[in-house]
């Protein structure tokens, strides 16, 4: 028998070093990606296109009518281009869906081929309005983002940019947008791309907020923000504390 001090005794197996945890704020460089905005002639889409293009992103806005998209793009400046929705989707690496809720499903169904292989960012909020104000709707799939994922099986669907004021986004006197962007998705790499895209806008930060099954709560919160804005005559957004 050999003792533990015997030089002939076999060496204990080496314990592999534990890999350092990835810094959640170590995000990819997205500056070279082309961003398409479906519904880019609406208030929200136009505002997002303006902020991203002003930050140096190449942006194409889409509309059902190419002439309307080109006219809106010319008004935005900063190199924004306009095209019909199909061309916008084909030419873009990332496609933001900013269409009205009532046209959401029809628009995505018509662009399934063009959106195959693309990173899709859904920012649509299913809302209803009555005399008491705004209220959340719940789609059969669970949320607008989950509806997009169901309609676009060949795309990588994420959800983000729900809580941004279109008024602030389009206000050319503002250099920064003081807000966090909740980003949801199934794949970390896709979520981090969208976080990085949000971070291109001065004052804005992308924050991981869970998988797509949690998108309904994020979309629904817009109804609460509308109530806040009406009461306080504001353009409220969100900030997540302690991160």
């Amino acid at each position: 028998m050999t003792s533990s001090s015997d030089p002939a005794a076999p060496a204990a197996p080496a314990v592999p070093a534990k890999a350092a945890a990835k810094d959640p704020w170590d995000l990819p460089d997205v500056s070279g990606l082309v961003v398409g905005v479906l519904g880019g002639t609406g208030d929200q889409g136009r505002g997002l296109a303006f902020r991203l293009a002003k930050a140096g992103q190449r942006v194409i806005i889409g509309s059902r009518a190419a002439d309307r998209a080109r006219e809106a793009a010319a008004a935005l400046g900063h190199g924004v281009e306009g095209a019909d929705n199909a061309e916008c989707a084909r030419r873009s690496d990332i496609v933001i869906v900013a269409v009205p809720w009532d046209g959401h499903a029809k628009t995505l169904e018509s662009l399934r081929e063009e959106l195959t292989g693309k990173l899709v960012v859904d920012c649509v909020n299913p809302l209803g309005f009555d005399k008491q104000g705004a209220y959340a709707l719940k789609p059969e799939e669970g949320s607008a983002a989950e509806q997009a994922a169901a309609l676009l099986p060949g795309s990588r669907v994420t959800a983000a940019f729900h809580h941004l004021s279109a008024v602030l986004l389009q206000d050319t006197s503002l250099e920064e947008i003081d807000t966090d962007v909740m980003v949801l998705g199934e794949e970390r790499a896709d979520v981090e791309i969208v976080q990085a895209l949000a971070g291109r806008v001065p004052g804005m930060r992308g924050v991981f907020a869970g998988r797509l099954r949690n998108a309904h709560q994020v979309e629904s919160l817009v109804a609460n923000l509308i109530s806040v804005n009406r009461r306080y005559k504001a353009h409220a957004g969100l900030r997540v504390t302690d991160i």
Side-chain angles (χ1 to χ4, degrees), residues 22-132:
K22 184 180 183 297
D23 181 353
W25 300 112
D26 181 15
L27 300 172
D29 178 9
V30 297
S31 59
L33 299 180
V34 179
V35 178
V37 184
L38 303 179
T41 58
D43 288 341
Q44 193 79 359
R46 194 164 59 246
L48 282 168
F50 169 69
R51 288 293 162 180
L52 291 169
K54 190 172 186 290
Q57 209 74 36
R58 184 180 171 196
V59 177
I60 305 170
I61 59 174
S63 175
R64 286 177 295 180
D67 288 346
R68 185 180 176 195
R70 285 192 283 267
E71 182 179 345
L76 290 174
H78 297 286
V80 176
E81 300 177 62
D84 62 44
N85 282 330
E87 182 182 349
C88 173
R90 278 194 300 268
R91 293 175 56 197
S92 301
D93 301 303
I94 305 173
V95 180
I96 298 174
V97 181
V99 300
W101 166 241
D102 58 7
H104 184 260
K106 186 176 180 180
T107 299
L108 296 184
E109 284 176 333
S110 70
L111 298 172
R112 182 178 290 135
E113 181 178 347
E114 290 83 359
L115 291 171
T116 296
K118 306 288 184 175
L119 175 53
V120 175
V121 187
D122 201 297
C123 70
V124 176
N125 302 304
L127 298 175
F129 296 86
D130 60 19
K131 291 181 179 179
Q132 297 181 60

Side-chain angles (χ1 to χ4, degrees), residues 132-226:
Q132 297 181 60
Y135 60 94
L137 304 174
K138 189 160 188 179
E140 182 180 347
E141 297 85 354
S143 64
E146 288 171 295
Q147 183 182 86
L151 293 172
L152 303 172
S155 304
R156 296 136 53 208
V157 177
T158 60
F161 302 116
H162 301 89
H163 306 134
L164 306 181
S165 164
V167 173
L168 297 184
L169 288 173
Q170 296 180 81
D171 187 340
T172 57
S173 70
L174 295 177
E175 291 299 319
E176 297 189 359
I177 303 294
D178 181 24
T179 192
D180 284 334
V181 173
M182 311 290 276
V183 185
L184 304 96
E186 300 302 317
E187 298 296 333
R188 175 181 289 189
D190 293 337
V191 169
E192 289 182 347
I193 289 171
V194 181
Q195 286 181 264
L197 185 65
R200 296 273 289 159
V201 179
M204 196 178 289
R205 182 176 66 163
V207 177
F208 171 66
R211 293 179 178 269
L212 286 186
R213 67 181 184 181
N214 294 321
H216 174 65
Q217 299 94 292
V218 173
E219 295 169 2
S220 299
L221 187 58
V222 175
N224 303 90
L225 290 177
I226 290 173

